[in-house]
Amino acid sequence: MSEATKDVTAPAPTAAAPATGAPLTGRLRRPAPYLWLAGSVLLLLFPFYLDRFWLQAGLFAMAAAIGAIGLNLLTGSTGQLSMGHAFFLAVGAYGYCILAGESSTENGHSITGLGLPTWLAAILAVLLAGAAGGLFSPIAGRLSGAYLGIATLALIFIGQHVLFNAESLTGGFNGRPVPPLSLFGFTFDDAEVVVAAVPFQSSEKLWYLGLGALLVSGLFARGVLRGRPGRALNAIRDHRIAAGVMGVPVARYRAGVFVLSSMYAGLAGVLLALVFQRTVPEYFGMVLSLEYLAMIVIGGLGSVAGAVIGAAFVSLLPQVLTHYSDSLPLVSAPGTGGIAPGEASRYLYGAAVVAVVLFLPGGIARLKTPGEKKK
C-alpha cells in the first residue's frame, strides 16, 4: 500500500479522542457517583446517631428544599417573580389539618375537621394548593416582573387575614394541632419503636418520609427542566415575545408552572405541619416568602441542586446559631444584650444574597469543579 493510500484511509481524529497531553476533565468527575453513594448512606444513617434537635433541623431543611424547588421552577426557570410562596405553604399545611383532623373544641372555640384518612388528606392538601395556584394562574399568565410580584404579595395579606380570623378552620392565633400521618398501617407519631436498639419517635420516622418526598420532588423537577417543557420555560424567561413567535404557548406554560410551583409549596407545607405538630398563622408570613427567594438566589436560579443547597443554607443557619449561641460572639438569647440567632441568621444570608449577586451570579450550584475548564 502506498503512502498516499495510507493517508487517505487513516481515520481522522475525533473530538472523542483528545490529543496527548490534553486535560481529561471527565476523569476528575468520575468519583462523583461514589460521593453521592456515601452521602446517601450517611443520610440514611443519621436517625441512628443524631438527636431530635438536629433531626428536626434536617426535616425543616428538606421541607424548605421541596418548596424552593417549586419556586425555582417558577422564578428561576420561567422568570416569574412570586412573593406569595408562603401562602401556598399555608394552604398545604392547614388543608391537611382540616381534611385529616377531627372536629373538636379548643380554648372555647369549635374547630372543624373532616376526619379523612391522613394519607388521603395529605394528597388532597397538595392538590388543594395546586387548585389555589390554578385560581391565581390566569393572573400569573398575564403579568410579569414587579407587577406579578405585587399581585402575589397580596396573597400573603389575604392569607394572614383568613388564618387569624377563620378560627373554626385554622384555630386562630394559637393555631390547631396536626394529626400524625398514617401510611400502610404505620403511624409517624411519637409512639416509640425500637430499631437496632435505637428508639424511633416522630422525628426519626419522618426523616425517611422527608427524604423520599425530596427525592421524588427533585427527580420530577429535573425531568421537567431537562425535557421539552424546561426548554419552553427557559425560552419564556429569556425572551417571552420570541418564545411566542416560535410557537410556545406562553400564557399556558406560565399558568401551568404556577400551578406546579403551588403544589410543591403545598407538599412542603404538609411536611412542615407534620414536623411542627401544630400550625401557627404567624409562621406563614412575608418573611417566609423572602426566605424562599433568598434560598433560590443563593443556591442558583433555575437549578434543582441550587434550590436544595440554598434551602439547606437558609433553613439550617438559624438552627446552628441557636444551638451554638453560647459559644459565638455577638449572638445570644433575646434580652441578654446580643443579637438573637434568628436576627443574626437574616443578616448573614442577606449578606450572602448580596455576595452571590455581585460575585457569583449563577449561585453556589454554578461553582466549577476542580480541573473543569470554561468552554
Side-chain angles (χ1 to χ4, degrees), residues 131-148:
L135 291 175
F136 192 81
S137 61
I139 300 174
R142 288 166 174 79
L143 296 180
S144 61
Y147 298 102
L148 179 60

Side-chain angles (χ1 to χ4, degrees), residues 51-334:
D51 58 23
R52 188 182 183 93
F53 175 84
W54 291 113
L55 289 176
Q56 286 188 339
L59 284 166
F60 291 147
M62 292 178 198
I66 293 171
I69 291 171
L71 184 60
N72 222 349
L73 288 172
L74 181 66
T75 301
S77 299
T78 319
Q80 294 179 270
L81 176 62
S82 174
M83 298 286 291
H85 209 55
F87 171 81
F88 299 105
L89 270 89
V91 172
Y94 278 95
Y96 172 77
C97 293
I98 295 168
L99 292 168
E102 301 285 348
S103 296
S104 61
T105 301
E106 186 174 333
N107 298 325
H109 300 289
S110 60
I111 299 178
T112 304
L114 299 182
L116 297 178
T118 53
W119 63 268
L120 179 60
I123 296 173
L124 291 178
V126 175
L127 295 177
L128 183 63
L135 291 175
F136 192 81
S137 61
I139 300 174
R142 288 166 174 79
L143 296 180
S144 61
Y147 298 102
L148 179 60
I150 293 171
T152 54
L153 186 61
L155 293 174
I156 295 294
F157 298 109
I158 295 172
Q160 288 287 287
H161 178 77
V162 172
L163 293 179
F164 279 108
N165 292 282
E167 295 182 352
S168 61
L169 293 177
T170 66
F173 181 82
N174 294 319
R176 61 180 294 166
V178 180
L181 178 68
S182 294
L183 191 63
F184 303 119
F186 183 80
T187 304
F188 296 84
D189 57 5
D190 282 324
E192 192 172 288
V193 176
V194 179
V195 180
V198 176
F200 270 45
Q201 295 182 321
S202 61
S203 297
E204 287 83 1
K205 299 171 187 176
L206 286 172
W207 181 269
Y208 296 106
L209 179 69
L211 279 180
L214 178 57
L215 179 63
V216 173
S217 301
L219 291 177
F220 183 81
R222 188 180 181 188
V224 169
L225 292 177
R226 291 193 172 188
R228 180 179 294 179
R231 292 191 293 272
L233 296 179
N234 291 334
I236 295 171
R237 177 196 61 196
D238 295 337
H239 204 295
R240 180 166 54 92
I241 297 176
V245 171
M246 290 187 295
V248 176
V250 175
R252 189 194 309 168
Y253 268 104
R254 287 164 66 95
V257 76
F258 200 93
V259 172
L260 181 60
S261 175
S262 302
M263 293 177 68
Y264 270 86
L267 178 59
V270 171
L271 183 56
L272 276 174
L274 292 172
V275 178
F276 277 125
Q277 298 183 354
R278 189 174 190 87
T279 53
V280 181
E282 189 177 359
Y283 178 77
F284 302 97
M286 190 188 305
V287 173
L288 184 61
S289 288
L290 293 176
E291 287 179 353
Y292 272 96
L293 287 174
M295 292 174 195
I296 63 174
V297 171
I298 293 172
L301 294 173
S303 166
V304 174
V308 175
I309 294 170
F313 178 81
V314 172
S315 62
L316 289 178
L317 187 59
Q319 309 294 330
V320 172
L321 293 179
T322 300
H323 194 71
Y324 295 107
S325 59
D326 295 336
S327 307
L328 296 173
L330 303 179
V331 178
S332 61

Side-chain angles (χ1 to χ4, degrees), residues 24-50:
L24 298 176
T25 57
R27 290 183 181 176
L28 294 171
R29 292 193 292 270
R30 281 181 185 173
Y34 300 101
L35 294 177
W36 279 107
L37 179 61
S40 301
V41 172
L42 283 176
L43 287 174
L44 292 174
L45 292 177
F46 276 163
F48 293 92
Y49 298 99
L50 297 182

